[in-house]
Amino acid sequence: MEKVIVTGGAGFIGSHTCVELLEAGFEPVIVDDLRNSEERVLKGLEKIVSRELPIHRIDCGDAVALNKVFEAEKPSSVIHFAADKAVGESVREPLKYYSNNIGSLFTLLRVMEQHRVKDLVFSSSCTVYGDTDQLPVTENSPTGAAASPYGYTKVVCERMLRDASAADPLLRAVLLRYFNPIGAHPSGIIGELPIGVPNNLIPFITQAAAGIREKLTVFGDDYPTRDGSCIRDYIHVVDLAKAHVLALRWIAKQKAPVCDVFNLGTGTGNTVLEAVHTFEAENGVKVPYVIGPRRAGDVVAMYADTTKSSEVLGWRTELTLGDALRDAWRWQQTLGKAAVQ
């Protein structure tokens, strides 16, 4: 079975991707120091796939430790998720983001080079496009004007991969630009597990609905959108996870060096308030919320053109916003129960 190093494999997207990798016949090897996750996610994974997964609890920015993982596991490819990812936090703590996000990719590429591992799927973001007025966004839309330090770390990482690929003709890289991943595994056993106060919308919605948070703050109702709140392209995490399997298979078929980029979204934008009201309608619960001031680093609207992902990778979304919000609520209700010890 082909081994795939999955950095950040205990995280939200990483854990769901591990499930899809196993179902597709790959052997995921998790590298995660659990700074943004918990042991319960690993136990949940074991329950879903009915087996233990190899896990190395290290910081993937630690070159010595990462070298030992590659020596022991002898992987054929890597999916790199490990990064800090909150837009608002990156504005408050930019050096943390530049150090971790850029530094960890640099270390990973060095280790891959030493062990002659040449296939990489990189977790990028639609934040590389900045506050664009070209909608829907295509892979050829301008990048580099990211509105937050988080977004700019992804710009730099993408450039690093292009430069590394140009210098090493054997390196084959796919850059996947995520839009807004939400939802949870339909079993309710794994899902988005923020540490402390959530930075992302949907976990805050579920926690507010569950009474864990007093209320949700919607950051701004004076944007030039249909209800004044920001527009985002919310994609079910299971759909997103499946794209990584297709990306690995596509890389394996390439006869020439490649460094290519793909948008991963639904192609449809929903406002923050539409997400709130859809959650309420799908789950029959109210979400207490208030309108607050705009948040630094937020763009007005962002949604994807996914034509290239469809035509080249053969990938299409299958799950709806309603599906994702029902699964997110099921996961919230599971938290703290005996289903995941």
Side-chain angles (χ1 to χ4, degrees):
M1 189 179 288
E2 182 178 338
K3 287 188 177 181
V4 182
I5 294 286
V6 185
T7 71
F12 177 40
I13 304 170
S15 59
H16 289 79
T17 299
C18 286
V19 173
E20 299 302 326
L21 285 169
L22 276 165
E23 290 187 359
F26 294 92
E27 172 76 1
V29 177
I30 297 172
V31 174
D32 200 311
D33 62 5
L34 302 186
R35 73 174 69 179
N36 290 316
S37 188
E38 293 181 2
E39 290 286 343
R40 70 187 308 161
V41 174
L42 300 175
K43 295 185 182 297
L45 272 173
E46 291 172 9
K47 184 169 185 179
I48 291 171
V49 303
S50 301
R51 51 163 290 191
E52 290 187 8
L53 295 181
I55 166 75
H56 297 268
R57 293 171 175 80
I58 66 164
D59 181 344
C60 71
D62 182 337
V64 173
L66 194 59
N67 257 309
K68 291 179 180 178
V69 172
F70 274 67
E71 288 170 2
E73 300 291 353
K74 297 178 173 54
S76 59
S77 56
V78 178
I79 302 179
H80 184 48
F81 292 107
D84 292 314
K85 63 178 184 175
V87 167
E89 182 187 52
S90 78
V91 174
R92 297 188 302 272
E93 300 184 60
L95 297 183
K96 172 185 177 183
Y97 277 69
Y98 287 119
S99 174
N100 187 42
N101 293 9
I102 298 171
S104 65
L105 177 60
F106 170 81
T107 300
L108 175 63
L109 288 172
R110 282 295 196 199
V111 173
M112 287 177 63
E113 184 178 44
Q114 291 169 24
H115 291 270
R116 303 185 64 80
V117 177
K118 298 299 183 181
D119 291 355
L120 173 66
V121 176
F122 176 68
S123 168
S124 192
S125 166
C126 66
T127 55
V128 300
Y129 297 116
D131 197 354
T132 180
D133 56 5
Q134 179 184 330
L135 295 170
V137 176
T138 74
E139 289 84 354
N140 293 322
S141 297
T143 63
S148 68
Y150 164 72
Y152 195 66
T153 66
K154 294 299 186 181
V155 172
V156 174
C157 286
E158 287 195 2
R159 177 59 186 267
M160 191 191 307
L161 286 167
R162 289 193 183 92
D163 291 345
S165 296
D168 181 356
L170 297 180
L171 179 62
R172 301 188 293 188
V174 169
L175 288 55
L176 301 180
R177 291 175 180 161
Y178 310 157
F179 280 66
N180 288 75
I182 62 170
H185 193 269
S187 65
I189 295 174
I190 60 172
E192 190 166 8
L193 185 61
I195 306 300
V197 179
N199 287 299
N200 294 334
L201 175 64
I202 304 307
F204 215 116
I205 286 177
T206 62
Q207 289 188 15
I212 297 169
R213 306 290 166 190
E214 181 183 357
K215 56 184 176 294
L216 165 74
T217 298
V218 175
F219 296 107
D221 66 348
D222 58 350
Y223 288 98
T225 63
R226 49 187 172 265
D227 61 19
S229 61
C230 292
I231 291 176
R232 297 290 182 266
D233 187 339
Y234 298 104
I235 176 174
H236 199 298
V237 66
V238 172
D239 278 332
L240 190 69
K242 290 177 178 179
H244 295 75
V245 176
L246 293 174
L248 279 180
R249 287 177 169 165
W250 181 77
I251 289 177
K253 295 176 183 177
Q254 303 312 300
K255 303 301 183 183
V258 63
C259 183
D260 212 346
V261 60
F262 298 91
N263 283 341
L264 298 182
T266 66
T268 301
N270 290 100
T271 70
V272 171
L273 288 173
E274 285 171 348
V276 171
H277 299 318
T278 301
F279 177 89
E280 292 176 326
E282 292 289 340
N283 296 301
V285 294
K286 296 297 291 182
V287 178
Y289 72 89
V290 295
I291 304 298
R294 294 187 182 191
R295 182 173 58 178
D298 278 341
V299 302
V300 177
M302 186 71 67
Y303 55 94
D305 182 318
T306 59
T307 303
K308 183 179 177 182
S309 296
S310 174
E311 293 179 349
V312 178
L313 299 181
W315 175 81
R316 295 174 181 82
T317 57
E318 300 173 351
L319 301 165
T320 67
L321 176 63
D323 292 330
L325 294 174
R326 287 194 302 274
D327 289 339
W329 183 234
R330 185 179 300 112
W331 163 241
Q332 180 64 62
Q333 292 174 303
T334 299
L335 286 173
K337 295 182 180 179
V340 183
Q341 296 293 337

